[in-house]
Amino acid sequence: MRRRSKYNVAVVGVGAVGVEMLRVLRQRDFPVGDLKVLARSARVIGVDGHSYHVEAITPEAFDGVDIALFAGTEGEKGAAVTYAAEAVKRGALVIDNGADFRMDPDVPLVVPEVNPKDAKKALKARGIIANPNCSTIQMVVALAPIHKLFKIKKVVVATYQAASGAGSKAAQELFDQTRSVLDGQAAVPQVLDQRIAFNLFPHIGGFGEAGYTSEEWKMVKETHKIFHDPRIKISATTARVPVKTGHSEAVYIECRRPVDIDAVRKAFAEAPGIVVVDDVAQSQYPLPVDAEGRDEVFIGRIRKDPMDEKALWLWVVADNLRKGAATNAVQIAELFVKR
Amino acid sequence: MRRRSKYNVAVVGVGAVGVEMLRVLRQRDFPVGDLKVLARSARVIGVDGHSYHVEAITPEAFDGVDIALFAGTEGEKGAAVTYAAEAVKRGALVIDNGADFRMDPDVPLVVPEVNPKDAKKALKARGIIANPNCSTIQMVVALAPIHKLFKIKKVVVATYQAASGAGSKAAQELFDQTRSVLDGQAAVPQVLDQRIAFNLFPHIGGFGEAGYTSEEWKMVKETHKIFHDPRIKISATTARVPVKTGHSEAVYIECRRPVDIDAVRKAFAEAPGIVVVDDVAQSQYPLPVDAEGRDEVFIGRIRKDPMDEKALWLWVVADNLRKGAATNAVQIAELFVKR
C-alpha cells in the first residue's frame, strides 16, 4: 500500500461493530482522508454527536478506497463475501471482522500484539486480512507472553460472553427482556437462542462437529492459526451471560515447563495491549463493566494451580466490540500506516 | 438413631436456605413429627402459604429433637458452631449446611448419590454430618459416574454462580440494582462484593492461599474428601453472575483411561439424581432458570475433547438452594429414615 499522510477508508456495516469502528477511527486519530460508510441501504446515522451519511453498498463504492473495514455480521455470510474481492480489485486493503475468510490459508488472521508480521503477507496474497473472533482475540493476547515463556501444551477455557457479541439487537433484548421480567412479564427470546434475562446458556453460534459450537471451534482453530501451531491442545465451553458488553474468560493453561508467576507478571507488564488488574486483597480483578469502552485486554486472578506446577489460571476480560472487533481491525490498519 | 414413624425435626435459620429446608421437608413428605424452627429471634414467617412460629434458639430448644438441620450462614460462623454440640448432647443428629465442620476428620461430608455410606459414620463420631458447598455438590454428582468408569485424573472447572448463593439479600440486590441501572441510576453494591447488575466477577468468599478464593478451595478439598482421594487434581475459578438462582458449571475432566461418551451417557441415565438435558440439535441443554425449584442435577453439552481422547466436557446446572443446600441436607436425613 502506498505511504501517504491520509488514507481513504470505507467502513462496511453500521451494526454494533460498524458503529464502534467509526468511533475507534476517530478516538485513535486514524489518518482518515475520505471516509465512506457503506451498508445495505442509504441513510444518515449519528455516533457520539457526529453524523455519518451511509451510502448503499456497490462495487463502485470502493473506487479510491485505500482501506476497507468490513464489520461482518452475526450468524450469516458477511458483506465481505460479495464485496471484498471488488474492493481489492479497486486497490483497497480489506480488513474483515466477519468469519468468512478467517480460515482461508491465503488470508492472514491477525492480532497485532501477537502476529503483526502475518499482516504483511496479505499484500502478496488475496489482499484480505481477517480479524479473529472476539473470544479468540482477548485470549491470544493473554496467551502469547506465556507461550513465549513456557510453551503452552493445553488450554481449557470457559467464557462468559456479553449480549452485544450477538449484535446490537441482542444487547437491546437483554435490557428489554430484563425489564419485562422485573415487571412480572414473560421472557420471550427473539434475537438470542434462549432467555437472557437473569439466565445464561452454553450456546454461541451453531452446533457442529464433536458437539462443539462454531464459537468453540473458532477458539481452537483461530488460536492454532495465529500461533502457527496446531499442536496446542485447546478446548472451550462458550456461554452467553446477561452482561451488555465485555467478554470474560476463565483460562486454564498447562505449559511444557514449570510456571514462574513472577515471570508471567513481568511479561504482562511489558506486553503491549495488556492491563493487569490483580490485587485480590483490594478486591481488584477485571470486570466487564470496567472494560467497556476500553481498547486493552484486562488480566487478573493470575495464579498457579496449587496441584500442578506447570499450570496457571488467568481471568481475561475485554470489550468484545472494541478489542474483540473494531479496535483490533483498526490496529491492523495501523500496521500499514506509519505515522 | 431410633427407628420411628415420625421424627422431631429442628430447622435452624430462616434465610434463603432455611426457608428452602422448610419447603423441601414438606414437598418431599419427610416424616416430620414436631417441627421446630429456630433463629436468633422469635417471629412468625410464611412459606408457600404455611406459617411457621420461629423460636429464639437456646440449647434447651433441642430437647426432644431427633434431627437438627442447620441452614448455615454466608461468610461467618454458623449457629452450628455454638449449638451443634448442644443438639447432639440432647440426642439429635445434626446435619449442617454451613462450612464450619466440613473439613473436620470426625465429621462426614456427604452427598447421598456419591458417598451415602459415610453418613453412618457420624453416629459413632461427633453426631454431625456436613453438607458440602453448593458448587461442590452438583459437580461431584456429575463426576461420580465418570470416576467409576474411567478414573478421574484432573478436573478444571469454571463456575457461573447465582446471586442467591450469597443469601436472600444478595438475590434482592440483583433485582433492585438491575432496576436502578435500567432506570439510569447508579449501581451501588451493598451485599455482594461488586456490582452484579449486567456484570459478573470472579470472587466468591474470601481470598486465601495461592490466590484462590475460599469457594475455589472448597471445590478442591471437599471433592477430595467426598471421593476419599486427594490425588485427583482439581482446579477452579468461581464467578458470581447476574442470575437469581441456579449455579452453572463448565466442567472439564481428564481421565486416566480413554473416554467412551456412550458409556458416560448410559451411566448418567442410570445414576440417581441426574437428569440429562442434551439435545443440541434442538437447542436443549441445562439452564439455570429451568433448574430453579428442582432437586436434580442437570447435565448437558456432554462431549469429548476432540484433541484429547481421555478428556470430556460437561455443563452442569442445579438449584443452589435446593440440591446445592436444602435438598441435599434433607436427603442426608432421609438416609436415616427407612420408610
Side-chain angles (χ1 to χ4, degrees):
Chain A
M1 201 161 53
R2 295 152 296 177
R3 288 276 179 89
R4 47 179 74 183
S5 60
K6 301 268 188 185
Y7 297 79
N8 295 335
V9 175
V11 169
V12 183
V14 291
V17 173
V19 163
E20 208 63 35
M21 283 172 161
L22 294 172
R23 188 173 279 142
V24 170
L25 284 169
R26 186 177 290 273
Q27 290 173 346
R28 292 178 74 93
D29 218 7
F30 193 88
V32 177
D34 286 343
L35 176 69
K36 281 188 180 179
V37 186
L38 305 173
R40 256 177 231 167
S41 55
R43 75 200 97 151
V44 176
I45 61 165
V47 177
D48 303 337
H50 302 278
S51 71
Y52 295 87
H53 287 264
V54 183
E55 291 175 46
I57 190 167
T58 62
E60 294 72 30
F62 293 96
D63 285 336
V65 169
D66 297 308
I67 298 168
L69 301 170
F70 283 75
T73 43
E74 277 305 313
E76 46 178 306
K77 297 283 174 196
V81 173
T82 310
Y83 294 103
E86 297 287 350
V88 171
K89 201 166 75 183
R90 286 169 172 79
L93 173 71
V94 166
I95 301 168
D96 180 26
N97 184 53
D100 304 300
F101 293 99
R102 287 183 194 146
M103 297 316 295
D104 184 323
D106 293 325
V107 172
L109 186 66
V110 175
V111 177
E113 292 88 341
V114 181
N115 61 336
K117 287 180 187 161
D118 285 348
K120 301 289 156 76
K121 295 178 193 165
L123 302 180
K124 289 180 195 153
R126 293 188 63 174
I128 304 172
I129 300 169
N131 215 34
N133 185 47
C134 45
S135 54
T136 307
I137 291 175
Q138 65 184 76
M139 180 172 77
V140 297
V141 168
L143 294 181
I146 292 171
H147 192 44
K148 214 168 182 177
L149 283 169
F150 310 115
K151 285 281 162 225
I152 294 174
K153 186 179 163 191
K154 188 177 214 174
V155 177
V156 177
V157 55
T159 70
Y160 305 66
Q161 296 184 227
S164 65
S168 50
K169 282 180 187 159
Q172 193 56 48
E173 178 163 271
L174 168 64
F175 288 146
D176 294 346
Q177 199 183 82
T178 299
R179 196 178 280 280
S180 290
V181 169
L182 287 173
D183 291 346
Q185 309 293 314
V188 184
Q190 291 176 315
V191 181
L192 291 163
D193 291 296
Q194 303 289 346
R195 167 177 161 172
I196 187 68
F198 305 114
N199 193 34
L200 55 87
F201 48 92
H203 179 178
I204 301 182
F207 283 99
E209 204 194 331
Y212 270 42
T213 61
S214 51
E215 187 81 2
E216 288 155 1
W217 275 120
K218 286 174 188 173
M219 297 190 80
V220 177
K221 293 183 179 175
E222 294 180 10
T223 303
H224 285 162
K225 181 167 177 176
I226 293 163
F227 282 127
H228 300 282
D229 188 350
R231 292 162 311 169
I232 303 172
K233 292 182 179 177
I234 302 165
S235 201
T237 291
T238 59
R240 189 75 70 191
V241 297
V243 166
K244 182 179 155 254
T245 296
H247 289 354
S248 305
E249 297 177 346
V251 188
Y252 182 86
I253 307 154
E254 277 180 14
C255 300
R256 298 200 176 274
R257 296 193 283 269
V259 168
D260 171 353
I261 288 292
D262 289 338
V264 171
R265 289 184 188 281
K266 190 161 172 283
F268 282 161
E270 291 165 359
I274 289 175
V275 176
V276 171
V277 182
D278 192 19
D279 182 358
V280 296
Q282 303 299 320
S283 296
Q284 295 290 310
Y285 30 73
L287 301 176
V289 287
D290 292 341
E292 196 175 347
R294 300 285 299 270
D295 286 332
E296 304 93 338
V297 172
F298 298 86
I299 305 179
R301 301 294 321 274
I302 303 165
R303 65 201 195 281
K304 232 167 143 157
D305 179 348
M307 298 192 75
D308 186 342
E309 60 165 8
K310 293 181 181 171
L312 78 161
W313 277 104
L314 305 176
W315 177 257
V316 181
V317 180
D319 184 322
N320 48 296
L321 299 178
R322 292 181 69 99
K323 184 55 190 168
T327 299
N328 197 74
V330 173
Q331 285 173 323
I332 292 171
E334 286 171 349
L335 293 173
F336 294 88
V337 171
K338 296 273 154 42
R339 277 182 273 188
Chain B
M1 200 162 54
R2 296 151 297 178
R3 286 280 179 89
R4 46 178 73 184
S5 61
K6 299 271 189 187
Y7 296 79
N8 296 336
V9 174
V11 169
V12 183
V14 291
V17 173
V19 163
E20 207 63 36
M21 284 173 162
L22 295 171
R23 189 172 280 144
V24 170
L25 285 168
R26 186 176 289 273
Q27 289 173 346
R28 293 177 72 93
D29 218 8
F30 193 90
V32 177
D34 287 343
L35 176 69
K36 282 188 180 180
V37 186
L38 306 173
R40 255 176 232 171
S41 56
R43 74 198 99 150
V44 177
I45 60 165
V47 178
D48 303 337
H50 303 277
S51 71
Y52 295 85
H53 288 263
V54 182
E55 292 176 46
I57 190 167
T58 62
E60 296 72 29
F62 293 95
D63 285 336
V65 169
D66 298 307
I67 297 168
L69 300 170
F70 284 74
T73 40
E74 278 304 314
E76 47 179 305
K77 298 281 175 197
V81 173
T82 312
Y83 295 103
E86 297 287 350
V88 171
K89 201 167 75 184
R90 287 166 172 81
L93 173 71
V94 166
I95 300 168
D96 179 26
N97 183 55
D100 304 300
F101 293 100
R102 287 184 194 147
M103 298 315 296
D104 184 323
D106 293 325
V107 172
L109 186 65
V110 176
V111 178
E113 292 88 340
V114 181
N115 61 336
K117 287 179 185 162
D118 285 349
K120 300 289 156 76
K121 296 177 191 165
L123 301 180
K124 290 179 193 153
R126 295 187 62 173
I128 304 172
I129 300 168
N131 216 34
N133 185 47
C134 45
S135 53
T136 307
I137 292 176
Q138 65 184 75
M139 182 172 76
V140 297
V141 168
L143 293 181
I146 292 171
H147 192 44
K148 215 168 182 177
L149 282 170
F150 310 114
K151 286 280 163 230
I152 294 173
K153 186 180 162 190
K154 186 177 217 175
V155 177
V156 177
V157 56
T159 70
Y160 305 66
Q161 296 184 227
S164 66
S168 50
K169 281 181 188 158
Q172 192 57 47
E173 178 163 272
L174 168 64
F175 289 146
D176 294 345
Q177 200 183 79
T178 300
R179 197 178 279 280
S180 291
V181 170
L182 287 174
D183 291 347
Q185 309 293 313
V188 184
Q190 291 176 316
V191 182
L192 291 163
D193 291 295
Q194 303 288 347
R195 166 176 162 174
I196 187 68
F198 306 112
N199 193 33
L200 54 88
F201 48 92
H203 179 178
I204 301 182
F207 284 98
E209 202 194 330
Y212 270 41
T213 61
S214 52
E215 187 80 3
E216 288 156 0
W217 274 120
K218 286 173 187 174
M219 296 190 81
V220 177
K221 293 183 178 174
E222 294 180 11
T223 303
H224 285 162
K225 182 167 177 175
I226 294 163
F227 282 127
H228 301 281
D229 187 352
R231 292 163 310 168
I232 303 174
K233 291 182 180 177
I234 302 165
S235 201
T237 291
T238 60
R240 189 75 71 192
V241 296
V243 166
K244 180 180 157 254
T245 296
H247 289 353
S248 306
E249 298 177 346
V251 188
Y252 182 86
I253 308 153
E254 277 180 12
C255 300
R256 298 201 176 273
R257 296 194 283 269
V259 169
D260 171 353
I261 288 292
D262 289 340
V264 171
R265 291 184 187 280
K266 189 162 172 284
F268 282 161
E270 290 164 1
I274 289 176
V275 176
V276 172
V277 181
D278 192 18
D279 182 358
V280 295
Q282 304 298 319
S283 296
Q284 296 290 310
Y285 29 74
L287 300 176
V289 287
D290 292 342
E292 197 174 347
R294 301 285 300 271
D295 286 331
E296 304 94 336
V297 173
F298 298 85
I299 306 179
R301 302 292 324 271
I302 304 165
R303 65 202 194 280
K304 234 168 142 155
D305 180 349
M307 297 192 75
D308 187 339
E309 60 165 8
K310 294 181 180 171
L312 77 162
W313 278 104
L314 304 176
W315 177 257
V316 181
V317 180
D319 184 322
N320 49 296
L321 299 177
R322 292 181 69 99
K323 184 55 190 169
T327 300
N328 197 73
V330 173
Q331 286 173 323
I332 292 171
E334 287 171 349
L335 293 172
F336 295 87
V337 171
K338 295 275 152 46
R339 278 182 271 187

